[in-house]
Amino acid sequence: MFLLLILKFLICGLTSETFRTILSVSETFRKTLPAIQRKLTSHPMTATLKDVARQSGYSVTTVSRALNGHDDVNEETRSRIRAAAEALDYSPNLNARQLQTRRAQSLGFIIPAEAQRLKEPFFMEFLSAVASEAAQHDYSILLSAHAPDAQEEDAYRHLAQSGRIGGMILMRARRHDPRVAMLTGLNIPCALFGRTGRDDGCAWIDVDGQAGVHAAAQHLLALGHSRIGHILGPDQYHFVGERQAGYASALAAARVPLEPDLIITVEHMTERDGYAATRRLLELGRPPSALIAVTDLVAMGAMRAVQDAGLRVGKDVAVVGFDGLSLTAYTSPPLTTVAQPTEEIGRKLVAMAVAQIAGDESFPKNELLIPRLIVRESSTGDQSKGQVLL
Amino acid sequence: MFLLLILKFLICGLTSETFRTILSVSETFRKTLPAIQRKLTSHPMTATLKDVARQSGYSVTTVSRALNGHDDVNEETRSRIRAAAEALDYSPNLNARQLQTRRAQSLGFIIPAEAQRLKEPFFMEFLSAVASEAAQHDYSILLSAHAPDAQEEDAYRHLAQSGRIGGMILMRARRHDPRVAMLTGLNIPCALFGRTGRDDGCAWIDVDGQAGVHAAAQHLLALGHSRIGHILGPDQYHFVGERQAGYASALAAARVPLEPDLIITVEHMTERDGYAATRRLLELGRPPSALIAVTDLVAMGAMRAVQDAGLRVGKDVAVVGFDGLSLTAYTSPPLTTVAQPTEEIGRKLVAMAVAQIAGDESFPKNELLIPRLIVRESSTGDQSKGQVLL
DNA sequence: TTGTAAGCGTTATCAT
DNA sequence: ATGATAACGCTTACAA
């Protein structure tokens, strides 16, 4: 319409009079257009501090302070402002707040791109604990999965630099974990599940895998097994070394020689790889009569391999897992496993991250938890109810 | 250290001379402190557009356009700017961007406060699909759990008005779902798992519970059962009515009379409530010989109740669940269940939400999926491998 | 093709 | 106790 107007004037010829008119029209238009656009495009019903200020008759500054509980505001003023905010259904725009304060009440969590991994029940149980503990602290979780093609480190960097998170929860610490270095460089506090092995000042919680596997091996030795297979994960993880140490120490204590043949490494800690590894172990000249697997999922693969070989799990070949997934109570037979307190770990990691963000130096920065061995039929072979040992 | 200084002066006694010294020290301290704090607390190494502009010699505007792929920028300029950005490890502050554009590449997802619910495997399997599909679209998920004491609707409103999300994924649609009304009022597109029952213009995906339960009941009738118990959930959910309709239609088709005694409602769809409901059913004068449960978890409680009553699941009492949790393959006996394509649902919901945010009207706004019945030992009682029927 | 300037909704600084 | 003003880092008219 405006263009038509111009066109019309152009056709009629321009006098300085009409030109001034155009300018004034254009001026009005320029002023009213944004308002119109705003009405049309923006979420119409989201009140801002300005709205509350107008409604209550105070300045934006005062409103901000009143709603944030500063003590330099008259109580009567505060209640008026509160009423206005309530009436308008005001709730703060966190983008603006986070931009201004450079703080964010969210923790980042990145899940591996590979969907299989994400479906690992362990991830989910962990995440559930993390999310609910975060809620207790009034934090939310920003869940991100890096695109399959992208660099892992970039994914972490983008999230960290996006300004939307105040800290980060990391899983599966690796020996020389590039993520940790990067995040501390960016001044993003992080809480790590697992140890990197060197003291990089990062907060962590870990489970004593050495003690756990030691207990598992001891349990199997006590049952009379002397050929115990050990299915390990990739060496890049610090815990793999720990686990192997626990295995070795238990055998040594029982004066059982350590046979390299019985120790095998899987590339991915999946059911599939557990199955394959177990097949190889069972095909040995003198196969093991018991197995310790790096993960419950790997152990489930192992159980299937044992059964497919015509052997009975628990009777012919004892199987022990590691993780303590709730799933393991329902397998047939139920799986003996070294249980990590998944929920406790998730909760404590969040608490650590939050404490660090708040600058609370007194909060413990790391903790080593002792796992507990849950004995079930997959190792004992009997039908009695499962019991919990240390 | 500063405190120590004060302490020292206090001990030594105060002259006006030393007092003035303190003041001046304090003054200097007060002035330099913020700068120091800033250096310490703010992320020192986070480059902004301004930094890239300075480094590359262009204006902030041009840099912005170059990096965002606008076509009104010289290609040579763009590559210079890209180089500068790379060199500085630039990555955008999304708070600022979202504040300005009023758009956010995140989807909100709120998990119920009750931790038990969150631990429901179904939630987790769903969430995993949602997160990974979101990643495909370059979206992230903002996970929030509303505090136990807070109002549910407030939790949704705060998240929606925080400006951090562009859309929302909702689970467990209820008949008159207040969340949907609120979100559409705020102009936040949402994608719903389940139907509200009335056409409120909200995108949804649902599973045909009527067809599912019909198939389950048919399966049990074919096995010779004529007294089939039905354990339902709270009536506030639309799907409960659907399920009951499927149950009724299957019985009617087989000319089996419908007995109200055999239909029972649990308040919470948990293992515990399933156990209790099943006990009550088994205590009837003429107990059912088969059960259809509203959830796999409820079915697992039912199986335990059957076993505790000294009966054999699958032989004496057939049990069928609904959800198709991967867990159900491992129960003893393995559970017959009406499987929802959890992953597909999660993925499609995300795709729907993203399409709506992008303003793509052509994208389908709702879809009804047909579940499939997975037959296992809990209904057949035999040891043959489980098979999938329609 | 590039730059200038305004503004998104907050909070922080500094007057009053 | 309250308010004016200036940021925070980004996008987007509009001007050049």
Side-chain angles (χ1 to χ4, degrees), chain A residues 60-207:
Chain A
V60 172
T61 310
T62 304
V63 171
S64 169
R65 281 188 302 227
L67 295 177
N68 286 317
H70 291 218
D71 54 5
D72 59 350
V73 46
N74 189 311
E75 277 309 321
E76 193 184 321
T77 305
R78 192 194 303 279
S79 65
R80 279 204 205 116
I81 289 176
R82 281 229 182 93
E86 191 113 354
L88 293 172
D89 266 354
Y90 169 77
S91 114
N93 180 318
L94 296 186
N95 285 321
R97 174 180 290 173
Q98 289 169 359
L99 176 59
Q100 163 66 23
T101 63
R102 299 133 156 273
R103 277 177 279 116
Q105 302 239 33
S106 308
L107 299 177
F109 185 85
I110 294 194
I111 39 193
E114 315 90 67
Q116 336 64 307
R117 247 203 183 168
L118 176 58
K119 281 177 85 176
E120 270 185 43
F122 181 72
F123 268 99
M124 303 182 193
E125 291 192 8
F126 179 76
L127 183 57
S128 99
V130 163
S132 79
E133 177 71 10
Q136 303 277 317
H137 295 271
D138 229 14
Y139 269 64
S140 39
I141 299 293
L142 194 51
L143 208 58
S144 198
H146 69 267
D149 48 343
Q151 292 294 315
E152 176 195 51
E153 207 171 324
D154 280 346
Y156 279 88
R157 208 165 49 74
H158 292 318
L159 184 55
Q161 297 192 339
S162 75
R164 294 172 303 167
I165 65 171
M168 191 113 186
I169 305 291
L170 299 177
M171 287 196 64
R172 289 259 166 90
R174 299 192 284 271
R175 274 183 202 290
H176 297 289
D177 206 313
R179 303 171 300 173
V180 175
M182 203 222 59
L183 290 171
T184 51
L186 289 172
N187 225 334
I188 300 275
C190 53
L192 196 55
F193 180 13
R195 282 163 287 175
T196 58
R198 33 181 213 167
D199 185 24
D200 37 24
C202 182
W204 55 259
I205 295 190
D206 203 359
V207 154

Side-chain angles (χ1 to χ4, degrees), chain B residues 45-89:
Chain B
M45 307 275 92
T46 304
T48 70
L49 271 192
K50 210 159 146 190
D51 298 320
V52 180
R54 198 178 312 126
Q55 172 98 357
S56 64
Y58 290 92
S59 74
V60 173
T61 310
T62 305
V63 171
S64 168
R65 282 188 301 227
L67 295 177
N68 286 316
H70 290 220
D71 54 4
D72 58 350
V73 44
N74 190 311
E75 276 310 322
E76 192 183 323
T77 305
R78 193 196 302 281
S79 65
R80 278 204 205 116
I81 289 177
R82 281 228 182 94
E86 190 113 356
L88 293 172
D89 264 354

Side-chain angles (χ1 to χ4, degrees), chain B residues 16-33:
Chain B
S16 70
E17 180 64 30
T18 54
F19 192 60
R20 220 173 299 130
T21 317
I22 291 181
L23 277 185
S24 100
V25 168
S26 140
E27 185 60 23
T28 339
F29 196 70
R30 207 176 59 77
K31 273 189 179 162
T32 54
L33 185 60

Side-chain angles (χ1 to χ4, degrees), chain B residues 67-375:
Chain B
L67 295 177
N68 286 316
H70 290 220
D71 54 4
D72 58 350
V73 44
N74 190 311
E75 276 310 322
E76 192 183 323
T77 305
R78 193 196 302 281
S79 65
R80 278 204 205 116
I81 289 177
R82 281 228 182 94
E86 190 113 356
L88 293 172
D89 264 354
Y90 170 77
S91 116
N93 180 318
L94 296 187
N95 285 321
R97 173 180 290 173
Q98 289 170 359
L99 176 59
Q100 163 67 25
T101 62
R102 295 128 163 275
R103 278 176 279 115
Q105 302 239 41
S106 308
L107 300 177
F109 185 84
I110 293 194
I111 38 193
E114 317 88 66
Q116 332 69 306
R117 249 203 180 167
L118 174 58
K119 282 178 84 175
E120 270 185 43
F122 181 72
F123 268 98
M124 289 291 119
E125 291 192 6
F126 178 75
L127 184 57
S128 97
V130 164
S132 80
E133 177 71 12
Q136 304 277 316
H137 295 271
D138 228 13
Y139 270 64
S140 38
I141 299 293
L142 193 51
L143 208 57
S144 197
H146 69 268
D149 49 344
Q151 292 295 316
E152 177 195 50
E153 206 171 324
D154 281 345
Y156 280 87
R157 208 165 49 73
H158 291 318
L159 184 55
Q161 296 192 342
S162 75
R164 295 172 302 167
I165 63 170
M168 190 110 186
I169 305 292
L170 300 177
M171 287 197 62
R172 289 260 168 91
R174 298 193 284 273
R175 275 183 203 291
H176 298 290
D177 208 312
R179 303 171 299 174
V180 175
M182 202 222 59
L183 290 171
T184 50
L186 289 172
N187 226 333
I188 300 278
C190 53
L192 196 56
F193 179 14
R195 282 162 287 175
T196 58
R198 32 181 212 164
D199 185 24
D200 37 23
C202 182
W204 56 259
I205 294 191
D206 202 0
V207 153
D208 191 338
Q210 176 164 0
V213 172
H214 187 100
Q218 219 168 24
H219 164 64
L220 292 170
L221 289 163
L223 288 170
H225 297 280
S226 60
R227 297 186 61 74
I228 302 175
H230 197 191
I231 308 179
L232 286 165
D235 191 54
Q236 67 178 142
Y237 298 111
H238 178 265
F239 69 79
V240 168
E242 297 276 323
R243 304 279 183 89
Q244 178 55 23
Y247 173 81
S249 71
L251 295 198
R255 299 179 191 283
V256 171
L258 191 145
E259 289 193 36
D261 276 1
L262 295 180
I263 300 164
I264 194 168
T265 293
V266 295
E267 195 180 347
H268 305 287
M269 297 181 281
T270 59
E271 197 186 359
R272 168 191 292 266
D273 277 24
Y275 185 89
T278 304
R279 282 197 76 104
R280 268 184 288 153
L281 286 173
L282 294 178
E283 282 162 4
L284 287 176
R286 297 176 58 210
S289 66
L291 293 171
I292 297 176
V294 69
T295 305
D296 282 343
L297 230 50
V298 170
M300 284 169 62
M303 288 206 289
R304 202 158 52 79
V306 167
Q307 283 159 344
D308 282 3
L311 299 167
R312 291 163 304 171
V313 172
K315 310 264 194 205
D316 303 315
V317 180
V319 177
V320 179
F322 201 112
D323 270 354
L325 302 185
S326 46
L327 182 66
T328 57
Y330 301 105
T331 56
S332 54
L335 181 66
T336 294
T337 181
V338 180
Q340 319 197 49
T342 314
E343 179 153 343
E344 183 184 357
I345 294 169
R347 294 196 172 278
K348 285 193 170 164
L349 280 179
V350 170
M352 277 181 175
V354 169
Q356 275 190 88
I357 293 173
D360 178 358
E361 299 290 346
S362 70
F363 207 85
K365 288 202 67 171
N366 34 54
E367 195 167 342
L368 190 60
L369 302 174
I370 303 297
R372 56 193 230 295
L373 181 66
I374 302 179
V375 174

